[in-house]
Amino acid sequence: IVTRQRQLSYLVLEPRLRDEIVQRYKLLQDLNAALENDALFLMLQPKVHLKSGRVVGFEALIRWQDNSGHFIPPDQFIPVAEAVGLIGKIDQKVFEMTISAAEQLYHLGYQLPVAFNVTCADLTTPQFVSNLLVAIERMSIPTDMLALEITESQTVADYEQVNPILSKLIKLGLSVSIDDFGTGYSSLAHLTNLAATDLKIDRSFVDAMQNGSNGEHVVEMIIKLGKRFGFDIIAEGIETEQQRNMLIEKGCMFGQGYLLARPMPLQQVMSWLALQPQIEQATV
Ligand code: C2E
Ligand code: MG
Ligand code: MG
Ligand code: MG
């Protein structure tokens, strides 16, 4: 009977669903190959002090160039990687590349931290965490030159599991940003025991921000409350002067977005930095 049921369920599999499974499987194979062939690389996007325009650090964003030379955006493969359990491998590669980028910048004399992105699942994997701790210990630069961004979680249970790890990383000197803040589980009470150093206001709120709009009120609330609890606030996806000015006016200190600078490969970051008037090359 079981065999018969199985056969039946094969038969009723919709072609659309079957195509999707085949496509996912292919993506998984390609991703595995990409990991082995170094087809994954990083772009760095500057984080900027809004009032002065001074660069205060970078965020590392993963890119994948497939065999045919096309760039596949992370939104298209990170969720799949999460679903099939490949995200840990990818994110390990990402923090290794991030450390390498941070080291290169530091040794050029720039004391600018570089942040990498992780998903909650990474930090609930003991192997991932211990690999990260070993890598931090081996870094040739101060620990505060490395930072981490974790997407705001959907469940309280996740926080109970990752909070102690985030605390440990903060104690070691890393900054921890709660990414896409406002989109996940964020009860106000919960803010008081969040192990983080800063909140990143999600781009959707910055996008929706016009004078008098609900978006404006949400942004205002996050900034006020976040600061009240001692977090640095950084807004993402700033594309217009008006957005930048409104954020400054509301007391948001830092920002990221195409208006300020696009994500760039490390080589380009180096020439970009050389053109920044506000930043002095420290001697190390
Ligand atoms: P995120 O961490 O919130 O990153 C911000 C995204 O917004 C980036 O897209 C960035 O290129 C884009 N962005 C920055 N400024 C602007 C702007 O002014 N306008 C617009 N429209 N977009 C802007 P990207 O690189 O495609 O990354 C998308 C998401 O993929 C990231 O969102 C992050 O959640 C995830 N991701 C990226 N790299 C990694 C990684 O190494 N590991 C993991 N687990 N996730 C990653
Ligand atoms: Mg991020
Ligand atoms: Mg973000
Ligand atoms: Mg985002």
Side-chain angles (χ1 to χ4, degrees), residues 45 59 61-63 74-75 91 94 117 119 179-180 203 236-239 257-258 263:
Q45 186 178 35
E59 173 179 9
L61 295 158
I62 194 172
R63 294 291 178 265
D75 288 337
D91 283 342
V94 166
N117 289 279
T119 54
D179 212 343
D180 304 327
R203 188 174 82 220
E236 57 179 34
I238 303 174
E239 292 182 352
Y258 296 163

mmCIF file with all atom_site columns, all heavy atoms in Angstrom, residues 45 59 61-63 74-75 91 94 117 119 179-180 203 236-239 257-258 263, ligand 1:
data_model
loop_
_atom_site.group_PDB
_atom_site.id
_atom_site.type_symbol
_atom_site.label_atom_id
_atom_site.label_alt_id
_atom_site.label_comp_id
_atom_site.label_asym_id
_atom_site.label_entity_id
_atom_site.label_seq_id
_atom_site.pdbx_PDB_ins_code
_atom_site.Cartn_x
_atom_site.Cartn_y
_atom_site.Cartn_z
_atom_site.occupancy
_atom_site.B_iso_or_equiv
_atom_site.pdbx_formal_charge
_atom_site.auth_seq_id
_atom_site.auth_comp_id
_atom_site.auth_asym_id
_atom_site.auth_atom_id
_atom_site.pdbx_PDB_model_num
ATOM   1   N N   . GLN A 1 45  ? 29.819 47.629 1.006  1.00 0.00 ? 45  GLN A N   1
ATOM   2   C CA  . GLN A 1 45  ? 29.078 48.893 0.943  1.00 0.00 ? 45  GLN A CA  1
ATOM   3   C C   . GLN A 1 45  ? 29.419 49.750 2.156  1.00 0.00 ? 45  GLN A C   1
ATOM   4   O O   . GLN A 1 45  ? 29.308 49.289 3.291  1.00 0.00 ? 45  GLN A O   1
ATOM   5   C CB  . GLN A 1 45  ? 27.564 48.662 0.891  1.00 0.00 ? 45  GLN A CB  1
ATOM   6   C CG  . GLN A 1 45  ? 26.817 49.983 0.675  1.00 0.00 ? 45  GLN A CG  1
ATOM   7   C CD  . GLN A 1 45  ? 25.310 49.823 0.556  1.00 0.00 ? 45  GLN A CD  1
ATOM   8   O OE1 . GLN A 1 45  ? 24.714 48.982 1.194  1.00 0.00 ? 45  GLN A OE1 1
ATOM   9   N NE2 . GLN A 1 45  ? 24.700 50.663 -0.270 1.00 0.00 ? 45  GLN A NE2 1
ATOM   10  N N   . GLU A 1 59  ? 29.765 47.084 5.023  1.00 0.00 ? 59  GLU A N   1
ATOM   11  C CA  . GLU A 1 59  ? 29.036 45.822 5.117  1.00 0.00 ? 59  GLU A CA  1
ATOM   12  C C   . GLU A 1 59  ? 29.440 44.951 3.943  1.00 0.00 ? 59  GLU A C   1
ATOM   13  O O   . GLU A 1 59  ? 29.462 45.414 2.794  1.00 0.00 ? 59  GLU A O   1
ATOM   14  C CB  . GLU A 1 59  ? 27.517 46.045 5.076  1.00 0.00 ? 59  GLU A CB  1
ATOM   15  C CG  . GLU A 1 59  ? 26.746 44.722 5.001  1.00 0.00 ? 59  GLU A CG  1
ATOM   16  C CD  . GLU A 1 59  ? 25.220 44.879 4.987  1.00 0.00 ? 59  GLU A CD  1
ATOM   17  O OE1 . GLU A 1 59  ? 24.725 46.021 4.871  1.00 0.00 ? 59  GLU A OE1 1
ATOM   18  O OE2 . GLU A 1 59  ? 24.535 43.845 5.108  1.00 0.00 ? 59  GLU A OE2 1
ATOM   19  N N   . LEU A 1 61  ? 28.650 42.132 1.357  1.00 0.00 ? 61  LEU A N   1
ATOM   20  C CA  . LEU A 1 61  ? 27.458 41.525 0.746  1.00 0.00 ? 61  LEU A CA  1
ATOM   21  C C   . LEU A 1 61  ? 27.912 40.486 -0.272 1.00 0.00 ? 61  LEU A C   1
ATOM   22  O O   . LEU A 1 61  ? 28.749 40.769 -1.132 1.00 0.00 ? 61  LEU A O   1
ATOM   23  C CB  . LEU A 1 61  ? 26.615 42.611 0.077  1.00 0.00 ? 61  LEU A CB  1
ATOM   24  C CG  . LEU A 1 61  ? 26.015 43.627 1.055  1.00 0.00 ? 61  LEU A CG  1
ATOM   25  C CD1 . LEU A 1 61  ? 25.671 44.933 0.371  1.00 0.00 ? 61  LEU A CD1 1
ATOM   26  C CD2 . LEU A 1 61  ? 24.773 43.038 1.741  1.00 0.00 ? 61  LEU A CD2 1
ATOM   27  N N   . ILE A 1 62  ? 27.363 39.300 -0.162 1.00 0.00 ? 62  ILE A N   1
ATOM   28  C CA  . ILE A 1 62  ? 27.838 38.214 -1.016 1.00 0.00 ? 62  ILE A CA  1
ATOM   29  C C   . ILE A 1 62  ? 27.325 38.354 -2.444 1.00 0.00 ? 62  ILE A C   1
ATOM   30  O O   . ILE A 1 62  ? 26.206 38.837 -2.678 1.00 0.00 ? 62  ILE A O   1
ATOM   31  C CB  . ILE A 1 62  ? 27.433 36.848 -0.427 1.00 0.00 ? 62  ILE A CB  1
ATOM   32  C CG1 . ILE A 1 62  ? 28.214 35.726 -1.102 1.00 0.00 ? 62  ILE A CG1 1
ATOM   33  C CG2 . ILE A 1 62  ? 25.937 36.623 -0.535 1.00 0.00 ? 62  ILE A CG2 1
ATOM   34  C CD1 . ILE A 1 62  ? 28.013 34.376 -0.443 1.00 0.00 ? 62  ILE A CD1 1
ATOM   35  N N   . ARG A 1 63  ? 28.150 37.942 -3.381 1.00 0.00 ? 63  ARG A N   1
ATOM   36  C CA  . ARG A 1 63  ? 27.773 37.900 -4.794 1.00 0.00 ? 63  ARG A CA  1
ATOM   37  C C   . ARG A 1 63  ? 28.188 36.547 -5.368 1.00 0.00 ? 63  ARG A C   1
ATOM   38  O O   . ARG A 1 63  ? 29.201 35.996 -4.984 1.00 0.00 ? 63  ARG A O   1
ATOM   39  C CB  . ARG A 1 63  ? 28.494 39.006 -5.584 1.00 0.00 ? 63  ARG A CB  1
ATOM   40  C CG  . ARG A 1 63  ? 28.074 40.405 -5.189 1.00 0.00 ? 63  ARG A CG  1
ATOM   41  C CD  . ARG A 1 63  ? 26.644 40.697 -5.627 1.00 0.00 ? 63  ARG A CD  1
ATOM   42  N NE  . ARG A 1 63  ? 26.199 42.014 -5.208 1.00 0.00 ? 63  ARG A NE  1
ATOM   43  C CZ  . ARG A 1 63  ? 25.519 42.254 -4.093 1.00 0.00 ? 63  ARG A CZ  1
ATOM   44  N NH1 . ARG A 1 63  ? 25.244 41.269 -3.265 1.00 0.00 ? 63  ARG A NH1 1
ATOM   45  N NH2 . ARG A 1 63  ? 25.115 43.467 -3.790 1.00 0.00 ? 63  ARG A NH2 1
ATOM   46  N N   . PRO A 1 74  ? 21.804 37.642 -3.882 1.00 0.00 ? 74  PRO A N   1
ATOM   47  C CA  . PRO A 1 74  ? 21.664 36.799 -2.689 1.00 0.00 ? 74  PRO A CA  1
ATOM   48  C C   . PRO A 1 74  ? 20.214 36.454 -2.359 1.00 0.00 ? 74  PRO A C   1
ATOM   49  O O   . PRO A 1 74  ? 19.945 35.361 -1.864 1.00 0.00 ? 74  PRO A O   1
ATOM   50  C CB  . PRO A 1 74  ? 22.302 37.619 -1.573 1.00 0.00 ? 74  PRO A CB  1
ATOM   51  C CG  . PRO A 1 74  ? 22.517 38.966 -2.116 1.00 0.00 ? 74  PRO A CG  1
ATOM   52  C CD  . PRO A 1 74  ? 22.563 38.868 -3.590 1.00 0.00 ? 74  PRO A CD  1
ATOM   53  N N   . ASP A 1 75  ? 19.304 37.385 -2.657 1.00 0.00 ? 75  ASP A N   1
ATOM   54  C CA  . ASP A 1 75  ? 17.897 37.093 -2.354 1.00 0.00 ? 75  ASP A CA  1
ATOM   55  C C   . ASP A 1 75  ? 17.416 35.850 -3.092 1.00 0.00 ? 75  ASP A C   1
ATOM   56  O O   . ASP A 1 75  ? 16.433 35.243 -2.703 1.00 0.00 ? 75  ASP A O   1
ATOM   57  C CB  . ASP A 1 75  ? 17.008 38.291 -2.728 1.00 0.00 ? 75  ASP A CB  1
ATOM   58  C CG  . ASP A 1 75  ? 17.204 39.438 -1.750 1.00 0.00 ? 75  ASP A CG  1
ATOM   59  O OD1 . ASP A 1 75  ? 17.641 39.158 -0.606 1.00 0.00 ? 75  ASP A OD1 1
ATOM   60  O OD2 . ASP A 1 75  ? 16.949 40.597 -2.119 1.00 0.00 ? 75  ASP A OD2 1
ATOM   61  N N   . ASP A 1 91  ? 28.155 30.963 4.729  1.00 0.00 ? 91  ASP A N   1
ATOM   62  C CA  . ASP A 1 91  ? 28.446 32.047 5.667  1.00 0.00 ? 91  ASP A CA  1
ATOM   63  C C   . ASP A 1 91  ? 29.819 31.902 6.309  1.00 0.00 ? 91  ASP A C   1
ATOM   64  O O   . ASP A 1 91  ? 30.438 32.887 6.694  1.00 0.00 ? 91  ASP A O   1
ATOM   65  C CB  . ASP A 1 91  ? 27.322 32.169 6.701  1.00 0.00 ? 91  ASP A CB  1
ATOM   66  C CG  . ASP A 1 91  ? 26.091 32.861 6.110  1.00 0.00 ? 91  ASP A CG  1
ATOM   67  O OD1 . ASP A 1 91  ? 26.236 33.527 5.069  1.00 0.00 ? 91  ASP A OD1 1
ATOM   68  O OD2 . ASP A 1 91  ? 24.990 32.730 6.683  1.00 0.00 ? 91  ASP A OD2 1
ATOM   69  N N   . VAL A 1 94  ? 31.972 33.401 3.873  1.00 0.00 ? 94  VAL A N   1
ATOM   70  C CA  . VAL A 1 94  ? 31.778 34.850 3.913  1.00 0.00 ? 94  VAL A CA  1
ATOM   71  C C   . VAL A 1 94  ? 32.568 35.485 5.061  1.00 0.00 ? 94  VAL A C   1
ATOM   72  O O   . VAL A 1 94  ? 33.239 36.489 4.879  1.00 0.00 ? 94  VAL A O   1
ATOM   73  C CB  . VAL A 1 94  ? 30.281 35.218 4.031  1.00 0.00 ? 94  VAL A CB  1
ATOM   74  C CG1 . VAL A 1 94  ? 30.096 36.675 4.406  1.00 0.00 ? 94  VAL A CG1 1
ATOM   75  C CG2 . VAL A 1 94  ? 29.565 34.922 2.722  1.00 0.00 ? 94  VAL A CG2 1
ATOM   76  N N   . ASN A 1 117 ? 27.123 39.288 7.191  1.00 0.00 ? 117 ASN A N   1
ATOM   77  C CA  . ASN A 1 117 ? 25.750 38.897 7.514  1.00 0.00 ? 117 ASN A CA  1
ATOM   78  C C   . ASN A 1 117 ? 25.706 37.424 7.918  1.00 0.00 ? 117 ASN A C   1
ATOM   79  O O   . ASN A 1 117 ? 26.377 36.588 7.322  1.00 0.00 ? 117 ASN A O   1
ATOM   80  C CB  . ASN A 1 117 ? 24.845 39.090 6.302  1.00 0.00 ? 117 ASN A CB  1
ATOM   81  C CG  . ASN A 1 117 ? 24.604 40.562 6.004  1.00 0.00 ? 117 ASN A CG  1
ATOM   82  O OD1 . ASN A 1 117 ? 23.767 41.204 6.632  1.00 0.00 ? 117 ASN A OD1 1
ATOM   83  N ND2 . ASN A 1 117 ? 25.363 41.107 5.061  1.00 0.00 ? 117 ASN A ND2 1
ATOM   84  N N   . THR A 1 119 ? 22.715 34.323 9.282  1.00 0.00 ? 119 THR A N   1
ATOM   85  C CA  . THR A 1 119 ? 21.323 34.023 9.596  1.00 0.00 ? 119 THR A CA  1
ATOM   86  C C   . THR A 1 119 ? 21.294 33.339 10.955 1.00 0.00 ? 119 THR A C   1
ATOM   87  O O   . THR A 1 119 ? 22.297 32.800 11.415 1.00 0.00 ? 119 THR A O   1
ATOM   88  C CB  . THR A 1 119 ? 20.697 33.101 8.539  1.00 0.00 ? 119 THR A CB  1
ATOM   89  O OG1 . THR A 1 119 ? 21.510 31.952 8.405  1.00 0.00 ? 119 THR A OG1 1
ATOM   90  C CG2 . THR A 1 119 ? 20.631 33.779 7.197  1.00 0.00 ? 119 THR A CG2 1
ATOM   91  N N   . ASP A 1 179 ? 19.682 43.417 11.875 1.00 0.00 ? 179 ASP A N   1
ATOM   92  C CA  . ASP A 1 179 ? 19.423 43.813 10.491 1.00 0.00 ? 179 ASP A CA  1
ATOM   93  C C   . ASP A 1 179 ? 17.921 43.860 10.222 1.00 0.00 ? 179 ASP A C   1
ATOM   94  O O   . ASP A 1 179 ? 17.155 43.154 10.880 1.00 0.00 ? 179 ASP A O   1
ATOM   95  C CB  . ASP A 1 179 ? 20.074 42.759 9.573  1.00 0.00 ? 179 ASP A CB  1
ATOM   96  C CG  . ASP A 1 179 ? 20.557 43.349 8.272  1.00 0.00 ? 179 ASP A CG  1
ATOM   97  O OD1 . ASP A 1 179 ? 20.135 44.465 7.925  1.00 0.00 ? 179 ASP A OD1 1
ATOM   98  O OD2 . ASP A 1 179 ? 21.363 42.679 7.603  1.00 0.00 ? 179 ASP A OD2 1
ATOM   99  N N   . ASP A 1 180 ? 17.531 44.663 9.244  1.00 0.00 ? 180 ASP A N   1
ATOM   100 C CA  . ASP A 1 180 ? 16.127 44.729 8.821  1.00 0.00 ? 180 ASP A CA  1
ATOM   101 C C   . ASP A 1 180 ? 15.204 44.932 10.015 1.00 0.00 ? 180 ASP A C   1
ATOM   102 O O   . ASP A 1 180 ? 14.131 44.328 10.097 1.00 0.00 ? 180 ASP A O   1
ATOM   103 C CB  . ASP A 1 180 ? 15.716 43.449 8.075  1.00 0.00 ? 180 ASP A CB  1
ATOM   104 C CG  . ASP A 1 180 ? 16.624 43.167 6.888  1.00 0.00 ? 180 ASP A CG  1
ATOM   105 O OD1 . ASP A 1 180 ? 17.098 44.137 6.272  1.00 0.00 ? 180 ASP A OD1 1
ATOM   106 O OD2 . ASP A 1 180 ? 16.856 41.991 6.588  1.00 0.00 ? 180 ASP A OD2 1
ATOM   107 N N   . ARG A 1 203 ? 15.048 48.933 4.999  1.00 0.00 ? 203 ARG A N   1
ATOM   108 C CA  . ARG A 1 203 ? 14.873 49.806 3.836  1.00 0.00 ? 203 ARG A CA  1
ATOM   109 C C   . ARG A 1 203 ? 13.406 50.108 3.531  1.00 0.00 ? 203 ARG A C   1
ATOM   110 O O   . ARG A 1 203 ? 13.065 51.194 3.063  1.00 0.00 ? 203 ARG A O   1
ATOM   111 C CB  . ARG A 1 203 ? 15.511 49.131 2.615  1.00 0.00 ? 203 ARG A CB  1
ATOM   112 C CG  . ARG A 1 203 ? 15.569 50.003 1.411  1.00 0.00 ? 203 ARG A CG  1
ATOM   113 C CD  . ARG A 1 203 ? 16.335 49.326 0.299  1.00 0.00 ? 203 ARG A CD  1
ATOM   114 N NE  . ARG A 1 203 ? 15.503 48.395 -0.430 1.00 0.00 ? 203 ARG A NE  1
ATOM   115 C CZ  . ARG A 1 203 ? 15.896 47.201 -0.860 1.00 0.00 ? 203 ARG A CZ  1
ATOM   116 N NH1 . ARG A 1 203 ? 17.102 46.796 -0.635 1.00 0.00 ? 203 ARG A NH1 1
ATOM   117 N NH2 . ARG A 1 203 ? 15.067 46.424 -1.515 1.00 0.00 ? 203 ARG A NH2 1
ATOM   118 N N   . GLU A 1 236 ? 19.039 51.877 6.423  1.00 0.00 ? 236 GLU A N   1
ATOM   119 C CA  . GLU A 1 236 ? 19.512 51.294 5.165  1.00 0.00 ? 236 GLU A CA  1
ATOM   120 C C   . GLU A 1 236 ? 18.658 51.743 3.986  1.00 0.00 ? 236 GLU A C   1
ATOM   121 O O   . GLU A 1 236 ? 17.530 52.177 4.152  1.00 0.00 ? 236 GLU A O   1
ATOM   122 C CB  . GLU A 1 236 ? 19.589 49.762 5.257  1.00 0.00 ? 236 GLU A CB  1
ATOM   123 C CG  . GLU A 1 236 ? 18.298 49.063 5.618  1.00 0.00 ? 236 GLU A CG  1
ATOM   124 C CD  . GLU A 1 236 ? 18.441 47.538 5.680  1.00 0.00 ? 236 GLU A CD  1
ATOM   125 O OE1 . GLU A 1 236 ? 19.504 47.027 6.075  1.00 0.00 ? 236 GLU A OE1 1
ATOM   126 O OE2 . GLU A 1 236 ? 17.470 46.858 5.335  1.00 0.00 ? 236 GLU A OE2 1
ATOM   127 N N   . GLY A 1 237 ? 19.245 51.681 2.822  1.00 0.00 ? 237 GLY A N   1
ATOM   128 C CA  . GLY A 1 237 ? 18.511 51.976 1.602  1.00 0.00 ? 237 GLY A CA  1
ATOM   129 C C   . GLY A 1 237 ? 18.210 53.453 1.384  1.00 0.00 ? 237 GLY A C   1
ATOM   130 O O   . GLY A 1 237 ? 17.180 53.815 0.812  1.00 0.00 ? 237 GLY A O   1
ATOM   131 N N   . ILE A 1 238 ? 19.113 54.326 1.816  1.00 0.00 ? 238 ILE A N   1
ATOM   132 C CA  . ILE A 1 238 ? 18.906 55.767 1.598  1.00 0.00 ? 238 ILE A CA  1
ATOM   133 C C   . ILE A 1 238 ? 19.212 56.091 0.135  1.00 0.00 ? 238 ILE A C   1
ATOM   134 O O   . ILE A 1 238 ? 20.322 55.867 -0.329 1.00 0.00 ? 238 ILE A O   1
ATOM   135 C CB  . ILE A 1 238 ? 19.811 56.609 2.524  1.00 0.00 ? 238 ILE A CB  1
ATOM   136 C CG1 . ILE A 1 238 ? 19.538 56.242 3.985  1.00 0.00 ? 238 ILE A CG1 1
ATOM   137 C CG2 . ILE A 1 238 ? 19.598 58.101 2.266  1.00 0.00 ? 238 ILE A CG2 1
ATOM   138 C CD1 . ILE A 1 238 ? 20.470 56.916 4.971  1.00 0.00 ? 238 ILE A CD1 1
ATOM   139 N N   . GLU A 1 239 ? 18.200 56.579 -0.572 1.00 0.00 ? 239 GLU A N   1
ATOM   140 C CA  . GLU A 1 239 ? 18.379 56.840 -2.004 1.00 0.00 ? 239 GLU A CA  1
ATOM   141 C C   . GLU A 1 239 ? 18.223 58.309 -2.363 1.00 0.00 ? 239 GLU A C   1
ATOM   142 O O   . GLU A 1 239 ? 18.616 58.720 -3.452 1.00 0.00 ? 239 GLU A O   1
ATOM   143 C CB  . GLU A 1 239 ? 17.390 55.990 -2.822 1.00 0.00 ? 239 GLU A CB  1
ATOM   144 C CG  . GLU A 1 239 ? 17.700 54.505 -2.746 1.00 0.00 ? 239 GLU A CG  1
ATOM   145 C CD  . GLU A 1 239 ? 16.761 53.640 -3.578 1.00 0.00 ? 239 GLU A CD  1
ATOM   146 O OE1 . GLU A 1 239 ? 15.764 54.181 -4.106 1.00 0.00 ? 239 GLU A OE1 1
ATOM   147 O OE2 . GLU A 1 239 ? 17.033 52.431 -3.693 1.00 0.00 ? 239 GLU A OE2 1
ATOM   148 N N   . GLY A 1 257 ? 23.277 53.437 1.698  1.00 0.00 ? 257 GLY A N   1
ATOM   149 C CA  . GLY A 1 257 ? 22.349 53.530 0.581  1.00 0.00 ? 257 GLY A CA  1
ATOM   150 C C   . GLY A 1 257 ? 23.026 54.054 -0.663 1.00 0.00 ? 257 GLY A C   1
ATOM   151 O O   . GLY A 1 257 ? 24.131 54.602 -0.595 1.00 0.00 ? 257 GLY A O   1
ATOM   152 N N   . TYR A 1 258 ? 22.337 53.859 -1.792 1.00 0.00 ? 258 TYR A N   1
ATOM   153 C CA  . TYR A 1 258 ? 22.923 54.227 -3.076 1.00 0.00 ? 258 TYR A CA  1
ATOM   154 C C   . TYR A 1 258 ? 23.271 55.714 -3.138 1.00 0.00 ? 258 TYR A C   1
ATOM   155 O O   . TYR A 1 258 ? 24.193 56.101 -3.829 1.00 0.00 ? 258 TYR A O   1
ATOM   156 C CB  . TYR A 1 258 ? 21.973 53.857 -4.222 1.00 0.00 ? 258 TYR A CB  1
ATOM   157 C CG  . TYR A 1 258 ? 21.726 52.378 -4.371 1.00 0.00 ? 258 TYR A CG  1
ATOM   158 C CD1 . TYR A 1 258 ? 20.647 51.895 -5.110 1.00 0.00 ? 258 TYR A CD1 1
ATOM   159 C CD2 . TYR A 1 258 ? 22.583 51.442 -3.773 1.00 0.00 ? 258 TYR A CD2 1
ATOM   160 C CE1 . TYR A 1 258 ? 20.427 50.539 -5.262 1.00 0.00 ? 258 TYR A CE1 1
ATOM   161 C CE2 . TYR A 1 258 ? 22.366 50.077 -3.910 1.00 0.00 ? 258 TYR A CE2 1
ATOM   162 C CZ  . TYR A 1 258 ? 21.285 49.629 -4.651 1.00 0.00 ? 258 TYR A CZ  1
ATOM   163 O OH  . TYR A 1 258 ? 21.060 48.292 -4.804 1.00 0.00 ? 258 TYR A OH  1
ATOM   164 N N   . PRO A 1 263 ? 27.523 49.251 -3.157 1.00 0.00 ? 263 PRO A N   1
ATOM   165 C CA  . PRO A 1 263 ? 28.467 48.175 -2.841 1.00 0.00 ? 263 PRO A CA  1
ATOM   166 C C   . PRO A 1 263 ? 29.535 48.087 -3.933 1.00 0.00 ? 263 PRO A C   1
ATOM   167 O O   . PRO A 1 263 ? 29.223 48.243 -5.110 1.00 0.00 ? 263 PRO A O   1
ATOM   168 C CB  . PRO A 1 263 ? 27.579 46.916 -2.855 1.00 0.00 ? 263 PRO A CB  1
ATOM   169 C CG  . PRO A 1 263 ? 26.181 47.407 -2.672 1.00 0.00 ? 263 PRO A CG  1
ATOM   170 C CD  . PRO A 1 263 ? 26.139 48.758 -3.323 1.00 0.00 ? 263 PRO A CD  1
HETATM 171 P P1  . C2E B 2 .   ? 20.732 43.326 3.884  1.00 0.00 ? 1   C2E B P1  1
HETATM 172 O O1  . C2E B 2 .   ? 21.757 42.756 4.797  1.00 0.00 ? 1   C2E B O1  1
HETATM 173 O O2  . C2E B 2 .   ? 19.635 44.122 4.495  1.00 0.00 ? 1   C2E B O2  1
HETATM 174 O O3  . C2E B 2 .   ? 21.557 44.170 2.828  1.00 0.00 ? 1   C2E B O3  1
HETATM 175 C C1  . C2E B 2 .   ? 21.114 45.340 2.215  1.00 0.00 ? 1   C2E B C1  1
HETATM 176 C C2  . C2E B 2 .   ? 20.722 45.116 0.776  1.00 0.00 ? 1   C2E B C2  1
HETATM 177 O O4  . C2E B 2 .   ? 20.220 46.344 0.243  1.00 0.00 ? 1   C2E B O4  1
HETATM 178 C C3  . C2E B 2 .   ? 21.856 44.727 -0.141 1.00 0.00 ? 1   C2E B C3  1
HETATM 179 O O5  . C2E B 2 .   ? 21.305 43.920 -1.174 1.00 0.00 ? 1   C2E B O5  1
HETATM 180 C C4  . C2E B 2 .   ? 22.298 46.057 -0.717 1.00 0.00 ? 1   C2E B C4  1
HETATM 181 O O6  . C2E B 2 .   ? 23.001 45.946 -1.934 1.00 0.00 ? 1   C2E B O6  1
HETATM 182 C C5  . C2E B 2 .   ? 20.972 46.720 -0.898 1.00 0.00 ? 1   C2E B C5  1
HETATM 183 N N1  . C2E B 2 .   ? 21.046 48.186 -0.886 1.00 0.00 ? 1   C2E B N1  1
HETATM 184 C C6  . C2E B 2 .   ? 21.943 48.973 -0.280 1.00 0.00 ? 1   C2E B C6  1
HETATM 185 N N2  . C2E B 2 .   ? 21.655 50.274 -0.480 1.00 0.00 ? 1   C2E B N2  1
HETATM 186 C C7  . C2E B 2 .   ? 20.543 50.311 -1.220 1.00 0.00 ? 1   C2E B C7  1
HETATM 187 C C8  . C2E B 2 .   ? 19.729 51.371 -1.746 1.00 0.00 ? 1   C2E B C8  1
HETATM 188 O O7  . C2E B 2 .   ? 19.986 52.570 -1.564 1.00 0.00 ? 1   C2E B O7  1
HETATM 189 N N3  . C2E B 2 .   ? 18.644 51.033 -2.481 1.00 0.00 ? 1   C2E B N3  1
HETATM 190 C C9  . C2E B 2 .   ? 18.325 49.729 -2.720 1.00 0.00 ? 1   C2E B C9  1
HETATM 191 N N4  . C2E B 2 .   ? 17.231 49.477 -3.447 1.00 0.00 ? 1   C2E B N4  1
HETATM 192 N N5  . C2E B 2 .   ? 19.053 48.691 -2.226 1.00 0.00 ? 1   C2E B N5  1
HETATM 193 C C10 . C2E B 2 .   ? 20.139 48.983 -1.481 1.00 0.00 ? 1   C2E B C10 1
HETATM 194 P P2  . C2E B 2 .   ? 21.930 42.522 -1.539 1.00 0.00 ? 1   C2E B P2  1
HETATM 195 O O8  . C2E B 2 .   ? 23.409 42.633 -1.577 1.00 0.00 ? 1   C2E B O8  1
HETATM 196 O O9  . C2E B 2 .   ? 21.201 42.048 -2.744 1.00 0.00 ? 1   C2E B O9  1
HETATM 197 O O10 . C2E B 2 .   ? 21.584 41.621 -0.294 1.00 0.00 ? 1   C2E B O10 1
HETATM 198 C C11 . C2E B 2 .   ? 20.259 41.255 0.002  1.00 0.00 ? 1   C2E B C11 1
HETATM 199 C C12 . C2E B 2 .   ? 20.174 40.492 1.299  1.00 0.00 ? 1   C2E B C12 1
HETATM 200 O O11 . C2E B 2 .   ? 20.837 39.218 1.190  1.00 0.00 ? 1   C2E B O11 1
HETATM 201 C C13 . C2E B 2 .   ? 20.887 41.172 2.464  1.00 0.00 ? 1   C2E B C13 1
HETATM 202 O O12 . C2E B 2 .   ? 20.068 42.162 2.997  1.00 0.00 ? 1   C2E B O12 1
HETATM 203 C C14 . C2E B 2 .   ? 21.106 40.009 3.408  1.00 0.00 ? 1   C2E B C14 1
HETATM 204 O O13 . C2E B 2 .   ? 19.939 39.755 4.163  1.00 0.00 ? 1   C2E B O13 1
HETATM 205 C C15 . C2E B 2 .   ? 21.332 38.849 2.451  1.00 0.00 ? 1   C2E B C15 1
HETATM 206 N N6  . C2E B 2 .   ? 22.788 38.596 2.392  1.00 0.00 ? 1   C2E B N6  1
HETATM 207 C C16 . C2E B 2 .   ? 23.733 39.239 1.661  1.00 0.00 ? 1   C2E B C16 1
HETATM 208 N N7  . C2E B 2 .   ? 24.967 38.698 1.874  1.00 0.00 ? 1   C2E B N7  1
HETATM 209 C C17 . C2E B 2 .   ? 24.778 37.688 2.774  1.00 0.00 ? 1   C2E B C17 1
HETATM 210 C C18 . C2E B 2 .   ? 25.662 36.736 3.419  1.00 0.00 ? 1   C2E B C18 1
HETATM 211 O O14 . C2E B 2 .   ? 26.867 36.726 3.227  1.00 0.00 ? 1   C2E B O14 1
HETATM 212 N N8  . C2E B 2 .   ? 25.089 35.842 4.276  1.00 0.00 ? 1   C2E B N8  1
HETATM 213 C C19 . C2E B 2 .   ? 23.748 35.836 4.544  1.00 0.00 ? 1   C2E B C19 1
HETATM 214 N N9  . C2E B 2 .   ? 23.278 34.932 5.387  1.00 0.00 ? 1   C2E B N9  1
HETATM 215 N N10 . C2E B 2 .   ? 22.911 36.721 3.967  1.00 0.00 ? 1   C2E B N10 1
HETATM 216 C C20 . C2E B 2 .   ? 23.408 37.628 3.097  1.00 0.00 ? 1   C2E B C20 1
#
